[in-house]
Amino acid sequence: MDKMWSGRFSTAASSLLDEFNASIMFDRELYMEDIEGSLVHASMLAKQGILTHEEFEQITDGLHQVKKEIESGEFEWKISDEDLHMGIEKRLTALIGDAGKKLHTARSRNDQVAVDFRRYVLKKNRVITQALSELMEAILNVAKEHTSTLIPGMTHLQHAQPINFGFHLGAYLAMFKRDIERFQSSYQRNNISPLGCAALAGTPHNIDRKTTAELLGFDGVSVNCLDTVSDRDFALEILFNISTMMMHISRLSEELILWSSYEFGFVELSDAYSTGSSIMPQKKNPDVPELLRGKTGRVYGSLMGLLTVMKGLPLAYNKDTQEDKEGVFDAVKTAEISLEILKEAIKTMTIKPRNMQKACEIGHLSATDLADYLVEKCGIPFREAHFITGRAVAKGEELGVDLSKIEYKYLKEIDERIKEDVLEYLDLRYSMDARVSEGGTATQRTKEQLEYFENYIKEFKQ
Ligand code: ARG
């Protein structure tokens, strides 16, 4: 009968219940947030005259002692304490006596856990955006080197139009920038303090929520206590934000896997970020991007898990909510290591512009340019131009020659209106550089885009 809540019980909890009910083996991750929250709560109670100055000092010393014990590994995490909140409070009371029992005045574990978990999520929002900006920088540095390196732009994984590799990487910079913004907007929306909501309805004690909010680094105080102790949308937001980010990471990973295959040969991942086969001595496997792609599924699982936990809960706190943490911890750890290793893999990979160029010479990438030529230079309606170009492509196929290399005489045979200056239009580099519309692939446009992202990263750093 050593439970903090055992007053109304006559039989001790079964050890099976202890094991089933406990969160202490995973919520200890929040020990820092929990102790900081308690320190601030105690200081407010003292300021409001609810605790004496002496009690406040004892609590402060005691909490620092507990923190030390946790950090040195001395602290005994016991399943029978149920969760970290009670584990810490119990140890505090063992250390300082009666004053420890006063700490929980005007507070419930319901607002306490909401404070701890929210602050953890907010902190990780920051950590992840920082790591995202570093990943962006690594991508940018490669992109800047390759604003005239031709690569086949694809749709349906089929050769479509020539683009440059810097432009291709620029697409990922755009995605990761939006990811950063998504984390930032979640941060702003959720940066409000639950402390003082108590169990669900507030407290009759004369507390000061503004002060505790400020001391804990929140922008303000939550509006409705019932909502604050029960909702977990801040946790769902980080799961969604990580999921979306991982989806982008997974798409890039998929391309790295393709690009490092013999069929593409566009990049070679560094040995430091590749693995071998236990049976085939010649192999070099792209395990890093493959695992990134795989871990994306696991993060989606955590998002779906918490959405499902939350969907049928009546107001306010329900124990189901305790299931909110492990998925978030796991997703955050996955995000952190994923961002780090992807950044390193990108920094250390070798780009193979010659293979990219060769790939551009297959699949008639400048076909659209021939159609555009027919429209622009010959005044032929686009539909008809499309048809004529189709015939030119068929001729190329028949000759086994790419449209960018076809001899003028064959084109003239197809349509008299085609003049010799067409050859310039069919040149792959010309084709890439012709796409000068805003956001287009032309080298000059690509450079502008990369400058935009470079400025964004610079501003982010400040
Ligand atoms: N361990 C609990 C959780 O993680 C803390 C809140 C418990 N509150 C309660 N009334 N049982 O959700």
Side-chain angles (χ1 to χ4, degrees):
M1 299 297 288
D2 62 346
K3 295 272 189 285
M4 290 193 164
W5 38 255
S6 63
R8 61 101 70 216
F9 290 80
S10 49
T11 309
S14 79
S15 57
L16 186 59
L17 170 84
D18 276 354
E19 195 183 328
F20 186 63
N21 202 32
S23 55
I24 196 162
M25 289 313 169
F26 53 85
D27 64 15
R28 47 195 275 197
E29 177 90 28
L30 303 173
Y31 84 89
M32 187 73 103
E33 283 78 11
D34 197 72
I35 289 175
E36 285 169 0
S38 289
L39 285 167
V40 163
H41 180 64
S43 77
M44 181 278 294
L45 292 178
K47 189 177 136 243
Q48 299 297 100
I50 299 169
L51 288 178
T52 65
H53 190 67
E54 206 198 332
E55 288 165 338
F56 166 60
E57 288 203 323
Q58 285 178 307
I59 290 175
T60 305
D61 291 348
L63 285 171
H64 281 124
Q65 175 63 26
V66 174
K67 182 165 169 264
K68 235 189 259 161
E69 291 176 7
I70 292 175
E71 284 168 356
S72 69
E74 249 174 89
F75 190 92
E76 220 189 309
W77 299 98
K78 283 192 285 213
I79 287 261
S80 58
D81 284 342
E82 194 175 322
D83 56 28
L84 100 147
H85 320 295
M86 291 200 287
I88 289 176
E89 191 184 319
K90 214 163 165 200
R91 178 69 189 136
L92 175 71
T93 304
L95 284 169
I96 67 168
D98 279 349
K101 296 182 184 164
K102 293 194 175 177
L103 172 62
H104 213 48
T105 314
R107 186 175 76 169
S108 153
R109 275 185 296 153
N110 295 352
D111 60 341
Q112 191 177 355
V113 72
V115 170
D116 295 357
F117 195 33
R118 191 177 282 261
R119 288 186 68 231
Y120 167 88
V121 166
L122 291 169
K123 176 177 81 184
K124 293 302 185 181
N125 262 286
R126 286 270 165 96
V127 171
I128 293 171
T129 52
Q130 174 59 36
L132 263 168
S133 76
E134 287 167 23
L135 172 62
M136 280 184 75
E137 203 168 4
I139 296 173
L140 178 75
N141 287 336
V142 180
K144 280 187 353 194
E145 297 291 308
H146 293 284
T147 53
S148 354
T149 306
L150 291 177
I151 183 175
M154 301 200 183
T155 62
H156 314 268
L157 200 60
Q158 304 286 328
H159 288 202
Q161 293 175 348
I163 59 176
N164 71 70
F165 188 51
F167 178 72
H168 192 115
L169 291 178
Y172 286 103
L173 292 174
M175 294 177 226
F176 291 129
K177 173 175 175 282
R178 283 196 302 280
D179 289 336
I180 289 182
E181 289 162 351
R182 218 172 278 114
F183 283 104
Q184 288 173 330
S185 115
S186 292
Y187 184 95
Q188 276 178 353
R189 185 171 28 263
N190 296 315
N191 194 15
I192 45 144
S193 174
L195 194 56
C197 282
L200 72 162
T203 170
H205 295 284
N206 178 28
I207 59 169
D208 176 358
R209 292 191 64 199
K210 277 205 181 64
T211 297
T212 51
E214 213 173 285
L215 290 172
L216 287 171
F218 290 111
D219 280 344
V221 165
S222 72
V223 173
N224 177 293
C225 292
L226 202 58
D227 162 53
T228 312
V229 292
S230 96
D231 209 346
R232 292 293 181 267
D233 51 4
F234 65 93
L236 285 166
E237 279 191 35
I238 200 168
L239 287 172
F240 175 77
N241 295 343
I242 293 175
S243 294
T244 305
M245 175 193 91
M246 288 301 294
M247 177 269 292
H248 291 147
I249 286 180
S250 185
R251 293 188 71 182
L252 176 52
S253 297
E254 170 64 15
E255 301 215 278
L256 290 175
I257 294 162
L258 289 171
W259 291 343
S260 54
S261 68
Y262 280 118
E263 284 70 15
F264 280 79
F266 291 178
V267 302
E268 187 176 342
L269 296 174
S270 137
D271 284 359
Y273 294 97
S274 303
T275 54
S277 158
S278 57
I279 174 169
M280 297 165 281
Q282 84 284 14
K283 290 210 70 185
K284 184 166 163 184
N285 294 330
D287 283 25
V288 167
E290 285 175 315
L291 260 178
L292 289 169
R293 193 175 57 183
K295 282 178 188 292
T296 303
R298 161 190 183 139
V299 169
Y300 291 0
S302 296
L303 172 62
M304 281 317 295
L306 185 54
L307 279 169
T308 311
V309 163
M310 294 305 295
K311 81 184 231 305
L313 301 186
L315 292 176
Y317 179 84
N318 298 268
K319 188 75 172 194
D320 315 45
T321 316
Q322 183 168 285
E323 292 291 316
D324 60 357
K325 290 172 205 62
E326 287 157 292
V328 171
F329 293 156
D330 186 75
V332 163
K333 275 178 201 136
T334 304
E336 286 178 0
I337 191 163
S338 297
L339 287 165
E340 180 72 19
I341 201 156
L342 178 57
K343 177 181 74 184
E344 293 307 321
I346 284 175
K347 276 186 182 168
T348 53
M349 71 185 181
T350 310
I351 314 295
K352 300 181 158 170
R354 248 197 293 142
N355 290 345
M356 291 175 174
Q357 168 77 33
K358 259 197 266 157
C360 288
E361 291 161 12
I362 314 167
H364 316 289
L365 286 175
S366 47
T368 317
D369 299 86
L370 176 54
D372 288 338
Y373 170 89
L374 295 170
V375 170
E376 210 182 287
K377 290 273 169 161
C378 316
I380 299 173
F382 183 77
R383 269 302 142 229
E384 198 189 333
H386 188 287
F387 181 79
I388 297 169
T389 305
R391 297 202 27 230
V393 166
K395 187 74 198 174
E397 289 286 300
E398 184 196 316
L399 297 166
V401 176
D402 188 72
L403 208 52
S404 62
K405 299 248 164 92
I406 203 164
E407 280 177 66
Y408 172 60
K409 61 178 187 194
Y410 297 112
L411 297 170
K412 200 177 153 196
E413 266 169 34
I414 290 167
D415 198 300
E416 277 287 312
R417 291 169 290 183
I418 302 176
K419 299 284 171 282
E420 199 158 4
D421 63 349
V422 73
L423 295 181
E424 186 190 345
Y425 287 72
L426 295 181
D427 177 70
L428 295 168
R429 188 164 302 279
Y430 179 93
S431 162
M432 183 271 284
D433 260 330
R435 290 184 164 68
V436 290
S437 58
E438 235 177 289
T441 190
T443 294
Q444 191 44 40
R445 286 305 195 190
T446 299
K447 282 185 177 161
E448 287 164 18
Q449 293 162 33
L450 297 183
E451 209 176 298
Y452 168 84
F453 292 121
E454 185 156 28
N455 287 334
Y456 174 78
I457 296 168
K458 258 190 219 145
E459 261 172 53
F460 180 92
K461 278 187 181 163
Q462 283 163 7

